[in-house]
Amino acid sequence: MFIPQRVCSVVLLVGLSWSVTCAHATAEEAVQRSQGLPPKESVQLLRAARIARMQGDFATELAKLQEALEKFPEDLTPVFALLEYQRIHGRTADRDQDLRATLTRRLHQATQTIAPAVALQLIMDPNVDPEILSLLEQHLKDRTQPSAAGAPPVEEMQLVALAKIQQRLGLDEAAATTLIQLSKEGGSFHQSWMLLRLLSKLERWSEQADLLQDMVDSGMTDLTINLAQALAQAGRLEEAIARVKALAEEFGPPVGVGEASSSQQSTDPIVWAAPQGALREVSSFQQMVNNIGWIARDQGDDEAAEQLFRLALAVKPDDEVMQATLLYLYGSREEQARQIAAEAVRRVAETDPQTLFDEGTHLLATGDVKAAIALLKRAAPNLPTLEAAWYNLGMAGYRLGDWSTAESAFAKAAQLNPGRAQSYYFRGISLVQSSRCREAIQPLLQALQLDAARTQAHYYLARCYRQAGNNPEAERHKSLYESAQK
């Protein structure tokens, strides 16, 4: 907001009072009104009220606020200040209703739009009444309609205040419309980012892509990656792929950041050399391409998805995840078979127990239990104090029906972590399945002691107690099991 030199500074204070310092105390009322500012005398009264508050003289504060309200019937700031006074010192229903009626009337009758500084101060107040915000939203909306031909443009900060109020009220769609109007009025970079975030929240991808295109065209070329992704989200895949290809062509070959010679490989990350000397990390570009590939696949365009995945791999050929993705989604049966065989050879040669554990756990999680148990059997003995290694080995054995492996692994896991009910429970079942029912009783009881909700243990205990000839305990656990099923 531009303020003439005759008005040196206007600072909105807490409690919505104003402090005015002027080198020339001759500011015209017409100038103040043109800026949406309160009358000078009203400002002075509000400042006096503020000083009285700081001194603890609340009676004088109220008197000054009331005087400003009565003397300046077109001014909105005394109403806000009195509503704030009511909030701090206690409201009375009648007085509160009168002030709201006054505020409504003055907002409707105001010949000038409320000063953006006043509106923004209210927005920052976490205790402001939503009803007041709604009144301000309507006031600003009425006075910030798109200008007619030849009319002066709407002030930028008025639209910013309106958009912030609308977001505060949860009117995100309306806020987006306001910010779009602001961008047409020539809004700032900051307002463009506000709009980008809002369009993303609303999933209005095509409009976001158009805004990003304008920003890129204005010289913000670092946003090209964001533009490509927004185009893909909007279903404009051809445009997105064209952007990706253009970016790939702009980048030179990978180069190291460090000064290492060709005979000494740099340990610094590999980057792409971009135009104008800018540097882009390979991982950022590859991630964008990968994201757009999955968007294309979700939209049913497998051809575009494969094209993008292959470009992502070309950018970083040693990326194992990308290699696996392409092989799984688009590889032939022969290629997949060769890869499986190569993986098997590599795993046989692997000796690091942590790597064996990590890969075995991953295979177990993805359902390849046979491959998982082979790795976990080699990992666990070399990780003797790692409970997870023994527990996962036990789970692999349990899923395959390898009861001997499951029982011994869960026994070791329980020894390492006596507080995990699952280890006792699965060990007990493994013992039952191995026809060692008497041995299963104790771990099953321990499982129930740690987790009474594991009621399936009662079923196995009833079976084992019956085999042991302890019919009373068998009947008790049978009854407990049946009760839990109801």
Side-chain angles (χ1 to χ4, degrees):
M1 178 175 67
F2 171 74
I3 300 178
Q5 291 181 353
R6 284 177 296 173
V7 182
C8 299
S9 63
V10 182
V11 181
L12 185 61
L13 299 174
V14 177
L16 299 173
S17 58
W18 293 77
S19 171
V20 180
T21 304
C22 289
H24 305 287
T26 59
E28 301 284 348
E29 281 193 14
V31 172
Q32 289 178 313
R33 284 197 300 271
S34 71
Q35 299 300 321
L37 301 177
K40 176 183 173 182
E41 290 182 40
S42 177
V43 170
Q44 291 172 338
L45 286 168
L46 291 171
R47 183 173 183 274
R50 173 65 177 171
I51 292 171
R53 178 196 293 190
M54 294 171 65
Q55 295 173 343
D57 187 353
F58 303 125
T60 298
E61 177 191 5
L62 179 59
K64 294 293 183 184
L65 295 177
Q66 190 64 41
E67 183 181 352
L69 179 72
E70 293 169 359
K71 281 187 174 181
F72 303 99
E74 294 185 0
D75 191 8
L76 295 164
T77 49
V79 189
F80 294 128
L82 280 163
L83 285 167
E84 174 74 357
Y85 184 92
Q86 288 266 99
R87 184 182 68 81
I88 293 173
H89 297 285
R91 291 172 170 171
T92 61
D94 291 344
R95 181 59 174 155
D96 206 47
Q97 186 175 356
D98 288 345
L99 285 171
R100 290 173 190 278
T102 299
L103 176 61
T104 303
R105 183 176 64 256
R106 291 191 181 187
L107 281 170
H108 286 316
Q109 293 175 350
T111 57
Q112 299 292 329
T113 305
I114 185 173
V118 176
L120 290 168
Q121 178 72 15
L122 284 166
I123 297 164
M124 292 190 301
D125 181 0
N127 300 303
V128 67
D129 195 315
E131 185 179 342
I132 292 176
L133 288 178
S134 294
L135 289 170
L136 282 173
E137 193 262 344
Q138 188 60 53
H139 169 83
L140 287 169
K141 190 163 64 173
D142 289 344
R143 287 158 175 77
T144 54
Q145 294 301 315
S147 303
V154 176
E155 187 181 341
E156 177 182 317
M157 289 308 297
Q158 291 172 354
L159 290 170
V160 172
L162 175 58
K164 286 183 176 291
I165 289 174
Q166 288 167 330
Q167 286 184 280
R168 178 82 183 268
L169 291 169
L171 305 173
D172 289 339
E173 292 284 356
T177 299
T178 299
L179 289 170
I180 288 170
Q181 180 187 348
L182 179 57
S183 69
K184 293 176 181 177
E185 299 278 351
S188 69
F189 177 76
H190 174 68
Q191 276 87 54
S192 295
W193 275 108
M194 286 174 58
L195 179 54
L196 282 177
R197 288 193 293 269
L198 195 53
L199 291 174
S200 178
K201 179 181 179 181
L202 296 170
E203 298 185 0
R204 289 165 58 170
W205 305 117
S206 194
E207 288 168 287
Q208 187 188 58
D210 292 340
L211 177 58
L212 282 164
Q213 180 69 70
D214 291 340
M215 295 171 78
V216 168
D217 290 344
S218 70
M220 301 178 192
T221 54
D222 285 346
L223 295 177
T224 305
I225 286 178
N226 306 73
L227 170 58
Q229 193 152 323
L231 286 167
Q233 293 278 23
R236 295 156 62 177
L237 284 171
E238 288 186 10
E239 295 174 72
I241 292 171
R243 281 285 173 180
V244 169
K245 287 182 175 179
L247 274 173
E249 289 172 3
E250 287 179 6
F251 296 145
V255 296
V257 178
E259 298 295 330
S261 66
S262 58
S263 61
Q264 180 183 357
Q265 184 177 2
S266 170
T267 57
D268 292 324
I270 299 299
V271 301
W272 288 81
Q276 290 120 19
L279 294 178
R280 295 178 188 270
E281 294 184 5
V282 167
S283 57
S284 298
F285 179 71
Q286 187 208 36
Q287 185 60 53
M288 179 271 292
V289 178
N290 186 46
N291 288 346
I292 296 176
W294 285 110
I295 292 169
R297 187 170 173 81
D298 289 343
Q299 293 177 3
D301 194 334
D302 260 1
E303 184 178 345
E306 182 179 1
Q307 187 179 1
L308 287 158
F309 289 142
R310 292 197 183 281
L311 176 57
L313 183 60
V315 170
K316 195 175 180 183
D318 60 346
D319 190 310
E320 294 181 0
V321 174
M322 205 69 255
Q323 291 172 355
T325 298
L326 277 165
L327 182 68
Y328 177 75
L329 294 176
Y330 305 108
S332 65
R333 289 185 179 180
E334 291 77 12
E335 288 174 325
Q336 291 174 352
R338 283 198 299 271
Q339 181 64 22
I340 291 170
E343 280 294 294
V345 171
R346 184 187 62 78
R347 287 169 184 160
V348 169
E350 183 61 65
T351 58
D352 178 59
Q354 186 64 49
T355 301
L356 291 168
F357 166 69
D358 291 340
E359 289 198 25
T361 298
H362 174 73
L363 290 167
L364 181 64
T366 56
D368 192 349
V369 186
K370 286 185 178 180
I373 198 170
L375 297 184
L376 292 169
K377 279 184 175 180
R378 293 165 57 200
N382 294 297
L383 299 169
T385 61
L386 183 62
E387 179 217 357
W390 294 99
Y391 183 89
N392 290 354
L393 174 57
M395 189 55 66
Y398 184 88
R399 290 182 183 177
L400 288 173
D402 183 348
W403 305 116
S404 176
T405 296
E407 187 275 324
S408 60
F410 282 126
K412 180 67 174 178
Q415 179 185 349
L416 291 170
N417 181 8
R420 190 186 297 278
Q422 295 96 316
S423 296
Y424 295 102
Y425 175 73
F426 289 118
R427 183 190 175 215
I429 296 176
S430 298
L431 286 165
V432 172
Q433 298 295 341
S434 300
S435 300
R436 297 162 62 186
C437 221
R438 289 176 181 268
E439 296 175 64
I441 291 174
Q442 189 55 43
L444 289 171
L445 288 173
Q446 186 66 29
L448 282 168
Q449 184 175 337
L450 291 169
D451 183 6
R454 200 165 284 278
T455 55
Q456 189 71 19
H458 291 297
Y459 171 83
Y460 291 103
L461 282 166
R463 175 177 167 182
C464 290
Y465 274 121
R466 184 161 287 106
Q467 285 189 17
N470 190 337
N471 289 330
E473 279 299 297
E475 288 300 317
R476 185 173 75 86
H477 283 284
K478 178 185 176 183
S479 177
L480 288 170
Y481 172 71
E482 289 174 347
S483 296
Q485 305 310 302
K486 295 179 181 178

